[in-house]
Structures are given as structure tokens and as C-alpha cells.
Amino acid sequence: MIARIAEAETEGWLGEVEGLQVSLAGAEEKLRRLDRGHGQHTVVGLAIPTTRGDR
């Protein structure tokens, strides 16, 4: 996407540059949110099944 932005700037496609920059910023933000969520897990307690004789 960075190469496309550079090409659009070279060609003078200002609207295209702006659109690509907005898309790039959105993609970078999404990656940051995914990185922040990585490694965060919730512990869930699971009951151990018993039979009537185990009580």
C-alpha cells in the first residue's frame, strides 16, 4: 500500500493518495488492536464431574 501511495503521489493523483492514506491508517489501527488483544485470555473454571459415591 505504501508503494501505491508513492505511485499516486508521483502521478499527481491527490484523491487517490488521500484515499490510500486513510486505508493505510485504518489497517495500521486494526493491527494495533489485534496486537493489544494478543495473549489476553480469560480463565474459565470447569467443574470436575463426580459420581454419587465420590461425595
Side-chain angles (χ1 to χ4, degrees):
M1 191 170 290
I2 293 170
R4 288 185 182 209
I5 292 170
E7 178 186 12
E9 287 174 337
T10 301
E11 296 296 329
W13 303 331
L14 301 180
E16 187 73 10
V17 171
E18 185 177 350
L20 289 168
Q21 288 172 335
V22 168
S23 295
L24 179 60
E28 289 172 337
E29 176 58 26
K30 187 169 187 174
L31 288 172
R32 280 191 292 276
R33 280 187 274 131
L34 289 171
D35 285 342
R36 281 192 301 253
H38 184 69
Q40 296 178 359
H41 302 283
T42 303
V43 175
V44 177
L46 302 175
I48 298 174
T50 61
T51 61
R52 293 180 192 252
D54 289 345
R55 292 183 191 184

